[in-house]
Amino acid sequence: MGSEETAARSVDQVADALREDIVFGRLRPRERLIEDELSERFGTSRHVVRAAMATLEQLGLVVKRPNRGCIVKDFTVAEVTELYDLRGVLQLEVARRFPLPPPPGLEDELRELQQRYAQAVADFDFRRIEACDDAFHKVFFRHCGNRYIVEMAELLWQRSATIRTFAYGNREVLAQSVVEHDQICDAIGKCDRERFVDVSVKHLFPALVAFKEAHAGRWSE
Amino acid sequence: MGSEETAARSVDQVADALREDIVFGRLRPRERLIEDELSERFGTSRHVVRAAMATLEQLGLVVKRPNRGCIVKDFTVAEVTELYDLRGVLQLEVARRFPLPPPPGLEDELRELQQRYAQAVADFDFRRIEACDDAFHKVFFRHCGNRYIVEMAELLWQRSATIRTFAYGNREVLAQSVVEHDQICDAIGKCDRERFVDVSVKHLFPALVAFKEAHAGRWSE
DNA sequence: CCTGCCACAATTGTCAACAATTTCGTCGAT
DNA sequence: ATCGACGAAATTGTTGACAATTGTGGCAGG
């Protein structure tokens, strides 16, 4: 299966590899994570796998049931809706607190990230799309002036990683997100707070819509 | 040292005991948590202590430095201010979403909790004060209709546990908090959303003020 | 043929020992 | 006397093995 990293040693490396496997769909929702298998795959002991799973549980990517092991988190539509509801609340705060005009050089940095994002979308390269999107949004989180809001926003960003892939898989939605990133950059350039807040909050929800559509006809929720 | 529980077995029990020790000040900020000592104290192996510390780190009660062990989290004034800033944001959401009129029986439940809280304050019994305060506030969290807001509000509630003790230690502040709980109950009884929101958000901050006063003349922040 | 019980397999939870790292005291040189 | 290097003690990180729990298939009884 997927990525046979030569010999990851630390807990964080294992956790990160598993995080990638989950985010990019190599591990599917409800799939079991068996400690023995993983410890063999990563060439480490079960203990580090255990610790890594604790980390992933905190990130909300897996669910641990006592004495029954771990499975990849499978979101219901209700959960995702509530998750994005909260993300909206936080994004509103983040956007309201972003410094306008932005610190020197920040706008250029954003534009460059935006350009790389657009290129990644054009190439339809999931990994780069995810990386650029990640970097772009974390810029805003990190300038909100409150470390706990930063932490929460980044945590929820992680938790919604598997949901965003429903957007990454659709070229139309992706194209629209590039447009929205542009609009966000423009609003910053013009110091238009109102527009910036509006666009950056609304920018969250296409991914939610894509998820809901993908789950439209499911029996068991 | 404090509570010598006979034989705590699970990780959660150890984590909870340590949580209590930290919240009630038996373990002071910056104090080291040494795995060997704790494993001996709890009569368990170092692994469960390790896992418990991971839990506590997630709750934000301890800080783990690689290869250098754990210390009890020592908040700076800036951190506490930001923490309460975010708690304010969330409490606003929680209060806005609380169902008014409340579900049948809930008002009575709150009144009873409130009464027990008042009694605990009158007895100046820290443990009961903390327990009642905890139960009272979690009622609101759990009725906001969004499980992620619940989770985050409870997480921040835990994180601010050591800060609240600065309020618990002051009889005037405590008396005021009883009054505020009453006002909250009244606002609910009258279905006065505006007042309910206002009081329940403002209710957070006396603890912050108490903390700031206690740290007023400190050299190293 | 279906239902409940029992033994076996798969998997997680726990423990004690070993290796690697950091911390702290001591000694010697300047 | 102060500073830096060295070495021992303290502490964390990692490993393999064992115990406890849960899931599963077969078998007897209705």
Side-chain angles (χ1 to χ4, degrees):
Chain A
M1 47 183 78
S3 50
E4 237 75 59
E5 286 80 23
T6 54
R9 283 190 184 164
S10 146
V11 170
D12 296 315
Q13 286 174 307
V14 173
D16 221 55
L18 287 174
R19 189 195 63 81
E20 257 209 5
D21 284 346
I22 293 170
V23 170
F24 290 117
R26 289 189 289 267
L27 288 169
R28 295 275 174 166
R30 302 223 158 204
E31 193 165 340
R32 284 190 67 183
L33 297 173
I34 286 148
E35 297 179 0
D36 268 325
E37 288 178 9
L38 296 175
S39 67
E40 186 169 355
R41 167 176 160 198
F42 290 110
T44 138
S45 112
R46 259 181 53 216
H47 291 278
V48 313
V49 173
R50 256 176 107 67
M53 296 221 274
T55 304
L56 292 175
E57 192 187 23
Q58 173 190 347
L59 291 180
L61 296 180
V62 306
V63 178
K64 201 171 176 186
R65 305 158 303 172
N67 285 311
R68 300 179 62 219
C70 260
I71 60 173
V72 177
K73 171 70 183 168
D74 182 32
F75 286 100
T76 65
V77 170
E79 284 173 332
V80 173
T81 305
E82 291 172 26
L83 178 56
Y84 271 72
D85 177 20
L86 175 54
R87 286 194 65 205
V89 171
L90 246 71
Q91 185 63 42
L92 185 65
E93 277 318 305
V94 166
R96 278 179 177 158
R97 291 159 188 245
F98 186 78
L100 282 183
L106 193 62
E107 192 184 345
D108 291 339
E109 190 186 323
L110 282 167
R111 295 254 183 219
E112 198 209 313
L113 278 171
Q114 159 62 355
Q115 205 157 0
R116 288 205 288 150
Y117 181 62
Q119 187 58 53
V121 169
D123 298 346
F124 211 56
D125 179 341
F126 274 24
R127 193 173 300 228
R128 272 166 56 219
I129 290 174
E130 209 254 350
C132 293
D133 201 16
D134 188 75
F136 187 78
H137 284 278
K138 281 186 176 169
V139 167
F140 299 106
F141 298 162
R142 288 176 183 166
H143 283 82
C144 79
N146 182 314
R147 72 198 79 189
Y148 295 99
I149 293 181
V150 176
E151 185 188 332
M152 288 299 146
E154 292 191 348
L155 176 61
L156 296 176
W157 175 261
Q158 281 282 10
R159 287 200 182 179
S160 54
T162 57
I163 294 141
R164 273 195 302 284
T165 58
F166 286 89
Y168 295 155
N170 181 322
R171 287 175 193 266
E172 286 178 35
V173 176
L174 270 178
Q176 179 58 27
S177 83
V178 173
V179 172
E180 286 161 359
H181 281 205
D182 262 329
Q183 292 172 337
I184 288 171
C185 289
D186 288 341
I188 288 170
K190 292 175 187 156
C191 291
D192 184 343
R193 170 80 62 189
E194 194 180 347
R195 180 165 169 71
F196 170 61
V197 169
D198 186 57
V199 174
S200 67
V201 170
K202 282 189 180 146
H203 173 59
L204 293 177
F205 292 98
L208 172 59
V209 173
F211 177 88
K212 280 184 176 170
E213 282 173 2
H215 285 242
R218 283 180 80 189
W219 359 268
S220 69
E221 291 292 14
Chain B
M1 42 190 82
S3 49
E4 236 77 61
E5 285 80 21
T6 54
R9 282 185 186 167
S10 148
V11 170
D12 296 316
Q13 285 174 307
V14 173
D16 221 57
L18 287 174
R19 188 194 64 79
E20 258 209 4
D21 284 347
I22 293 170
V23 170
F24 290 117
R26 289 189 290 267
L27 288 169
R28 296 275 176 167
R30 303 225 156 203
E31 193 165 339
R32 286 190 65 184
L33 296 173
I34 287 146
E35 297 180 0
D36 269 325
E37 289 178 8
L38 297 175
S39 68
E40 187 168 357
R41 168 177 158 198
F42 290 110
T44 147
S45 114
R46 262 180 51 218
H47 287 280
V48 314
V49 173
R50 256 174 109 67
M53 297 221 275
T55 304
L56 293 174
E57 191 187 25
Q58 174 191 347
L59 292 179
L61 296 180
V62 305
V63 178
K64 201 170 178 188
R65 305 158 302 172
N67 285 312
R68 299 178 63 219
C70 260
I71 59 174
V72 177
K73 171 71 183 165
D74 183 32
F75 286 100
T76 65
V77 170
E79 284 173 331
V80 174
T81 304
E82 290 171 27
L83 179 56
Y84 271 72
D85 178 19
L86 175 54
R87 287 194 63 205
V89 170
L90 245 72
Q91 185 61 42
L92 185 64
E93 272 327 298
V94 166
R96 279 179 176 160
R97 291 159 188 246
F98 186 79
L100 281 184
L106 194 60
E107 190 184 347
D108 292 338
E109 189 186 325
L110 282 167
R111 295 256 183 217
E112 198 209 313
L113 277 172
Q114 159 63 355
Q115 204 157 359
R116 288 205 288 150
Y117 181 61
Q119 188 58 50
V121 169
D123 298 343
F124 211 57
D125 178 341
F126 273 24
R127 192 173 302 227
R128 272 168 54 220
I129 289 173
E130 210 254 350
C132 293
D133 202 16
D134 189 73
F136 186 78
H137 285 277
K138 282 185 175 170
V139 167
F140 299 106
F141 298 161
R142 288 175 183 167
H143 283 83
C144 79
N146 181 315
R147 71 198 79 187
Y148 295 100
I149 294 181
V150 175
E151 183 189 332
M152 184 163 312
E154 291 190 349
L155 175 61
L156 296 175
W157 174 262
Q158 281 283 9
R159 285 201 183 180
S160 55
T162 57
I163 294 142
R164 273 195 300 284
T165 58
F166 286 90
Y168 295 155
N170 181 320
R171 288 173 193 267
E172 286 178 34
V173 176
L174 269 177
Q176 178 59 28
S177 84
V178 173
V179 172
E180 287 161 359
H181 281 205
D182 262 329
Q183 292 172 339
I184 288 171
C185 289
D186 288 343
I188 288 171
K190 291 173 188 158
C191 291
D192 185 344
R193 170 81 61 188
E194 194 179 346
R195 180 166 169 70
F196 170 62
V197 170
D198 186 58
V199 175
S200 68
V201 170
K202 282 189 179 144
H203 173 58
L204 293 177
F205 291 99
L208 172 60
V209 172
F211 177 87
K212 280 184 175 169
E213 281 172 2
H215 284 244
R218 281 180 82 189
W219 358 269
S220 69
E221 290 291 15

